[in-house]
Amino acid sequence: MIGHMSDTHLGWYHTGERLVEREEDYYNAFREAVEVFIRERVDLVIHSGDILDTPRPYGTAVAVLIEGVRRLSENGIPFLFTLGEHDIPYIAGVTPYPMILERLGIGTYVGDGKPREVKGLRVVGLHKHKRYEHRLLQEKLEKIGEEQRTRGGKSVLVLHQGLREIAGPGAELSLAELPEGFHYYAMGHHHGYKVVDHGGGILSYPGPTHWVDVDESDECGVSIVDLSGDVPVVHRERLTSVRPKLRLRVTGRELRETIERLIQKEHKVKPCLWLEVEEEGKLDLLSIEDKLKERYIVQEIRQVSPRVPEPSASDLAETTLEVKEKLRRLAMEVLGHERNTAFALDELLPLLTDPKRGGEAAEAVWRYYLSGEWK
Ligand SMILES: [Mn+2]
């Protein structure tokens, strides 16, 4: 029995000010996941990456991580992990924080492509590879696939990558690029729960232990994977500590009634709230927030024009794709090099547009320069 978790994002923090209450959400979900694994008596735990929310975390995040993994260790449960893009420092040669688990003797890093035997199970994995490292990733996957073909016994492949069949055309890999013959593919990176057949085995994303973005589901959990039969059985455990979230769009006329209804509701934990109000006239957004913040963590209250219809999800996806394509074409014209374009758009641009990570952009450029991939 494997306990499979991913994307715990410990040390999440709000842009600008520190929202301690929200930061705690990720610690609570992680602690609950550890207790679920102990209760379910799993033989080992696999973490598929994005353990931390930032490669430069608060000390609290590292302390919570160590405490949780130590609890597993004290219960005889080995902790195997790989690294996601949120765990990997942009400065080349710097040791990522989660590696401290190895130094303490309570965790085993499996993201280096070297197979390990743990309680009779063969586990091999890779850390997150960036889009401009695609060729390198393919080579490593091929090598892992070749080694696997000559092996018997139960085996698990651990990866932190997006798959086009699951996450859409923007993802780095397709299912066909993954080697066959593993019993279980323990995936991380995609923030949603997914189980599919692959290569004679089962591939699964448990999704995050706590949602991160407004669009993600607040039904989060971990997986208990039963490897005793020929085909693995994935059992889902919902985490009950996860903060509920609510996203509403109302007209100005419905506003008063909506606020009344919202503040009358009792909640065990304050839900996060996003509210859009369709109104032409002036709205006192601050007084709306004042009324709601007793019962909700108000993430955003926004006034929108009633004349602009809400774009459908498919409209949005299409526009986003068009913009992305155009951006890629323009960048190709200027840079004239596919890998440099991929670096600029997929690595550098997200850092430069994220107020929390903007400072890492220069380090990213150095890392890319030193990798020699730009040549
Ligand atoms: Mn993640």
Side-chain angles (χ1 to χ4, degrees):
M1 296 279 254
I2 307 174
H4 182 198
M5 73 195 316
S6 187
D7 297 84
T8 45
H9 288 268
L10 299 174
W12 177 95
Y13 63 100
H14 191 257
T15 310
E17 63 186 312
R18 189 172 170 216
L19 266 180
V20 180
E21 212 177 2
R22 288 280 290 111
E23 186 185 323
E24 284 286 333
D25 289 347
Y26 299 87
Y27 304 150
N28 291 336
F30 177 72
R31 290 185 187 113
E32 190 187 347
V34 165
E35 295 313 315
V36 167
F37 292 145
I38 292 170
R39 191 190 68 214
E40 295 294 321
R41 299 167 181 272
V42 300
D43 296 294
L44 56 101
V45 166
I46 293 176
H47 193 308
S48 298
D50 278 1
I51 297 169
L52 301 167
D53 191 53
T54 155
R56 293 188 236 176
Y58 290 130
T60 320
V62 181
V64 170
L65 173 65
I66 291 172
E67 279 162 20
V69 177
R70 184 166 279 151
R71 276 252 328 126
L72 291 173
S73 174
E74 284 164 0
N75 283 274
I77 304 171
F79 182 83
L80 283 57
F81 66 97
T82 190
L83 300 171
E85 69 279 11
H86 285 258
D87 303 308
I88 301 172
Y90 272 97
I91 306 170
V94 167
T95 304
Y97 263 101
M99 300 304 274
I100 200 167
L101 300 171
E102 282 216 318
R103 309 283 167 97
L104 293 170
I106 54 175
T108 305
Y109 176 55
V110 295
D112 56 5
K114 291 183 193 139
R116 284 170 177 81
E117 282 293 315
V118 183
K119 295 189 177 176
L121 188 70
R122 189 167 178 270
V123 184
V124 57
L126 291 174
H127 62 77
K128 169 73 189 270
H129 282 63
K130 296 178 183 298
R131 201 180 303 266
Y132 66 78
E133 298 168 314
H134 187 254
R135 211 178 30 183
L136 182 65
L137 175 59
Q138 269 179 325
E139 283 168 15
K140 289 183 185 177
L141 286 173
E142 266 165 40
K143 190 165 161 267
I144 287 173
E146 252 163 57
E147 284 171 3
Q148 181 59 24
R149 271 193 284 279
T150 60
R151 296 279 169 165
K154 300 269 159 86
S155 55
V156 178
L157 179 63
V158 186
L159 293 175
H160 187 94
Q161 301 287 156
L163 289 169
R164 281 191 277 280
E165 289 83 350
I166 287 164
E172 318 87 65
L173 281 180
S174 72
L175 267 174
E177 289 173 282
L178 298 188
E180 305 207 331
F182 284 89
H183 289 83
Y184 185 63
Y185 297 79
M187 304 295 294
H189 187 54
H190 177 63
H191 282 203
Y193 173 51
K194 256 300 185 285
V195 183
V196 296
D197 294 338
H198 177 72
I202 295 286
L203 177 148
S204 176
Y205 288 91
T209 45
H210 192 288
W211 57 270
V212 177
D213 284 329
V214 56
D215 300 323
E216 296 167 17
S217 164
D218 56 8
E219 293 185 9
C220 304
V222 294
S223 296
I224 313 287
V225 187
D226 184 349
L227 281 176
S228 59
D230 286 343
V231 179
V233 179
V234 181
H235 168 75
R236 182 82 173 147
E237 278 287 332
R238 272 278 296 277
L239 297 175
T240 58
S241 66
V242 173
R243 188 181 296 281
K245 63 203 246 301
L246 198 61
R247 189 181 199 179
L248 286 175
R249 184 173 170 126
V250 297
T251 64
R253 236 184 296 152
E254 299 163 328
L255 182 61
R256 185 192 293 268
E257 186 259 327
T258 303
I259 294 174
E260 287 303 318
R261 185 168 48 84
L262 284 174
I263 56 181
Q264 270 165 22
K265 266 194 198 148
E266 295 269 1
H267 299 279
K268 218 168 66 190
V269 269
K270 275 187 180 181
C272 278
L273 177 69
W274 285 260
L275 179 64
E276 286 181 326
V277 189
E278 292 176 9
E279 175 63 56
E280 289 286 12
K282 203 169 161 11
L283 272 182
D284 187 355
L285 297 180
L286 274 178
S287 87
I288 302 174
E289 179 171 349
D290 268 343
K291 287 185 196 130
L292 289 168
K293 71 183 180 193
E294 275 287 309
R295 291 278 164 107
Y296 297 86
I297 293 184
V298 180
Q299 294 275 343
E300 189 180 44
I301 300 179
R302 217 154 57 95
Q303 182 169 356
V304 292
S305 169
R307 277 178 306 203
V308 183
E310 194 172 3
S312 72
S314 65
D315 282 351
L316 265 182
E318 211 166 279
T319 321
T320 314
L321 260 181
E322 264 171 36
V323 170
K324 275 191 174 159
E325 240 164 64
K326 190 157 190 192
L327 207 56
R328 202 161 289 275
R329 213 177 52 236
L330 289 171
M332 261 304 273
E333 268 173 35
V334 176
L335 298 168
H337 185 303
E338 212 165 294
R339 237 172 297 139
N340 289 348
T341 303
F343 169 72
L345 295 184
D346 305 323
E347 306 303 326
L348 197 52
L349 189 60
L351 286 178
L352 289 171
T353 49
D354 182 349
K356 291 195 301 195
R357 305 193 71 190
E360 294 165 33
E363 291 161 13
V365 173
W366 271 112
R367 193 186 162 95
Y368 184 61
Y369 175 73
L370 294 171
S371 78
E373 291 282 348
W374 51 275
K375 279 176 200 155

